[in-house]
Amino acid sequence: MRKKYDIWSLVTLSVLGLYAIFLIYPLFNLLSQAVVDKDTGTFTLAYFVKFFGKPYYFNTLLNSFKVTFGVTILTILLGMPLAYIFTRFEIFGKSFLRILIILSSMSAPFIGAYSWILLLGRSGVITTFFKNAFGIHFPSIYGFSGILVVLTLQLYPLIFLYVSGALKNVDNSLLEASENLGCSGMKRFFIIIVPLIGPTLFAGGLLVFMRSLADFGTPMLIGEGFRTFPVTIFNEFISELGGDDGFAAAISIIAIIITTIIFLVQKYLSTRKTFSMNSMNKIRPVKARGLTKVLIHVYSYALISLSIMPQVYIIYTAFRKVNGTVMVPGYSLGNFSDAFEKVGRSISNTIIIPGISLIIIVILAALIAYITVRRRNILTGIADTVSMVPFIIPGSVVGITLLIAFDKPPILLSGTMTIMVIGLVLRRLPFTIRSSVAVLQQIPMNVEEAALSLGSSKLNAFYKITMPMMAAGLISGAILSWVTMISELSTAILLYVGRTKTLTVEIYTQIIRGNYGIAAALSTILAVLTLISLLIFNKVSKGDDLSM
Amino acid sequence: MSVGISIKNALKKYGENTIIPDLSIEIRDKEFFTLLGPSGCGKTTLLRMIAGFNTIEGGEFRFNEKLINEMEVSKRNIGMVFQNYAIFPHYTVRQNVEFGLKNRKLPKDEIRMATDEFLELMQILEYKDRMPERLSGGQQQRVALARALVIKPDVLLMDEPLSNLDAKLRMEMRQVIRDLQKDVGITTIYVTHDQEEAMAISDRIAVMKDGVIQHVGTPREIYHRPSNVFVATFIGRTNLIEADYSAADKLVSMDRFTFPMERLPVDSDMPVTLSIRPEDFQMSAMSASGKSGGLICRITDVVFLGLNTHYQVELSSGQLIEIIHESVMDSPFKIGDEVQLTLKSEKINIFTRDGSRNLIHA
């Protein structure tokens, strides 16, 4: 007797159903908005013609490319050597530095941008100090270079983490063999190590690329005249002079096409160059001597200080006395009491919305990982592919897609918490599924088979046996998702209404309004939340690697 | 050009932890020399000191007359084969083999010729454009050997090179390595924990334990005249039986059984430990009279293994002894039988009671 359908078929169909409603349907909706004339209901490419026809719009695309390619290259140039140094040498205070690196990458980029403005902006403390003391004028932090600096310092940790992970798989005897055959030092780094970690470098580079392409807050605050893609999408959609849904949809479609192409190119490049490596002898850090020792310490400390500085400064200003929108001498906790009084709701929202999302994400990720690993068939294959789609959709496009789809019956969700939860779940699921898949692949199938042979039902075997074995991996994945979600801005900024403001949205709003004290206090609260989450992560994962 | 290697008073420490306290050996030119010992005995540590991957805390390491203690890894002109081969996964077979020559900046056609020569020698020329992941374990091993030898090293170092292969391939490759070493004529130091492999392949073996060399000698010497009980038990199988030596009548007595031992250069009575290999017992049925000329015992287990049959017997003292006999068509012995044992007394070894010294050897 062969049973063709079981509980997992039902799970597969439910997952596909959810994706059909909350992803496929909205995407088709977006596409139809982009190519159907609102008034006549006929097919039109007018929006696309408008975009590519006017330099005003088209240039934002070029600007975005300038930023993303620049940031990707710079993060690799900064992050890869740092990872190599950390793997190869003993560094004073290494574990502390590692926490700082992770911490600096976990805040919302626009907060970094804002802090850099406070430091290096027109009336920034450093700018003013040098102008008054030495008459030196700093180059402008606004525009392209500012975005580049902020995003690079924000995102190089991703490359650092990816490359560190890859270096763990490089067998030390490869390095020894190379040295034995007469090739060591920098030469060895470039002809042996770089090719071996190439695929991971591509993957990390892709993530940096996607993040910097999608980032909305940074160019909005520090870009001034330098407008990028997400800014344009946002402006066209939200514009107070009556946003144009159709045009915003068309730009969104263009964004998705571009990211898809980049994604496929990366996939093609890295699958062609992947080597299976099993590392019996890991690279062990050695003591550096002489000039090398000095140089690697200077490099590590300088880079990491620079990247953590904005956060530190924001936290410092949170304790400054503020009068209206102007900082005055002296320190107080006034900013915090103001923050709790006026916008306390955003704090609870930041716990509730990502919290609910997290529960849904963990359950769905475990189920989807299970069906794609253990029940390979066409349907689960489709579920696997579809679940990855949001990975290549920029955050603001996710926001617009959901708004357009659920702003009208049959499903009216705009302005609710639900729609914000959906946005977060969609965006974060691909990452959590990937890490769950990796965890699940480590667990042998026969453990579950043993449970089945002992009379357990399939679902029971999953919850009682497989889930607990996945737990540690799932939880550490979940904490990372949590950290990313509480600092999320680009989707939330489109979906929020007064009642559902989150911390990041509130901080952004307060910065725009000039309430620097409250903004700083809220940023500090966010930083503390992040830090606590990371410490819990460290505890749970027992010092395992972070993977985004 | 192959060299002799001389190591005097080598010292290796990790922090406060001494791995090798004081070790000296001489390895002759073109010799196949094996470091054999259980894991953690310091054999790989010593090999890596010679290769230059481990620092040397004390002593003198010389290739011929030249001191190499502080010499850079890449200047030592050593061919090294790693336990997991360490084949560069992003290079083809040919690129892997060429790698060392390219770093030596040799002319292109010379590199080509030398590479072809060694690919041919190792019989992997047909795979020259393959990526390593498409090679079997044995083929990867051949690439590793070709890569190590193509640079014409003074010394070839091998760190458990066969441990990742299955049993059959291991036998085949050890013959390949042995033949190759003789053809090329290169001083070779080989590390393994497999005593059978060491005996099959080596000119001489150094048995190590706790960073100290226990015995250096040919496989034959080490097997037949081990310098102490550790070596006797580590190489092959043996039975250890406590006995007493009486100097006056030159007799060894144990468990109600006495036999003469003429050759022992000992002048006083002393307790000893006998080491008797399982094949050095002769087993026969009890004579009808019940009077025995040997050690009386009872068979407790019989395991038929084809070529040989293994017996486990119990002495009257309760000690269990392992005996190996060539199998015969109709085995006369079965479990429960009383039998008597005699010894091939020229083959047994007699140690001091604590096992630290072979009395016959001395």
Side-chain angles (χ1 to χ4, degrees), chain B residues 69-87:
Chain B
N69 283 36
E70 296 296 327
M71 196 186 279
E72 264 180 59
V73 172
S74 51
K75 299 274 154 57
R76 295 189 187 199
N77 200 28
I78 280 173
M80 177 117 184
V81 177
F82 294 83
Q83 185 171 10
N84 56 350
Y85 321 133
I87 307 277

Side-chain angles (χ1 to χ4, degrees), chain A residues 171-184 187 191-192 195-196 274-278 280-281, chain B residues 48 53 73-74 78-80 82-84 86-91 99-100 103-105 131 133 147 151 164:
Chain A
D171 195 301
N172 197 30
S173 29
L174 288 176
L175 304 190
E176 288 178 345
S178 166
E179 190 178 3
N180 177 246
L181 295 166
C183 168
S184 57
K187 189 176 168 200
I191 71 178
I192 302 291
L196 291 180
T274 307
F275 317 104
S276 55
M277 289 189 290
N278 59 332
M280 289 169 54
N281 323 297
Chain B
R48 292 168 59 84
F53 298 129
V73 172
S74 51
I78 280 173
M80 177 117 184
F82 294 83
Q83 185 171 10
N84 56 350
I87 307 277
F88 302 127
H90 59 302
Y91 285 160
F99 187 82
N103 287 317
R104 282 168 166 70
K105 306 233 168 4
M131 295 308 278
E133 59 189 359
R147 188 179 70 179
I151 58 171
N164 285 346

Side-chain angles (χ1 to χ4, degrees), chain A residues 52-121:
Chain A
F52 287 104
K54 287 193 183 162
Y56 176 81
Y57 294 118
F58 184 62
N59 279 343
T60 63
L61 191 58
L62 293 180
N63 283 348
S64 270
F65 275 131
K66 266 200 237 169
V67 168
T68 43
F69 278 107
V71 168
T72 308
I73 291 167
L74 283 176
T75 50
I76 288 174
L77 289 181
L78 291 175
M80 185 170 64
L82 192 68
Y84 180 68
I85 289 171
F86 267 52
T87 310
R88 189 100 181 89
F89 298 107
E90 284 179 5
I91 302 280
F92 181 72
K94 192 188 274 182
S95 30
F96 177 66
L97 289 180
R98 210 185 282 273
I99 291 175
L100 289 185
I101 295 173
I102 294 165
L103 205 58
S104 63
S105 73
M106 289 290 179
S107 71
F110 76 93
I111 297 179
Y114 164 60
S115 184
W116 280 115
I117 293 174
L118 293 181
L119 288 164
L120 286 174

Side-chain angles (χ1 to χ4, degrees), chain A residues 67-80 101-109 147-162 204-215 218 303 307 484 548:
Chain A
V67 168
T68 43
F69 278 107
V71 168
T72 308
I73 291 167
L74 283 176
T75 50
I76 288 174
L77 289 181
L78 291 175
M80 185 170 64
I101 295 173
I102 294 165
L103 205 58
S104 63
S105 73
M106 289 290 179
S107 71
I147 299 174
L148 209 58
V149 167
V150 170
L151 288 180
T152 300
L153 287 177
Q154 179 79 32
L155 295 173
Y156 84 88
L158 292 181
I159 299 289
F160 170 83
L161 292 170
Y162 266 70
L206 175 73
L207 197 60
V208 169
F209 192 96
M210 295 293 185
R211 290 250 181 119
S212 49
L213 184 68
D215 187 59
T218 308
L303 180 57
S307 55
T484 329
M548 301 293 142

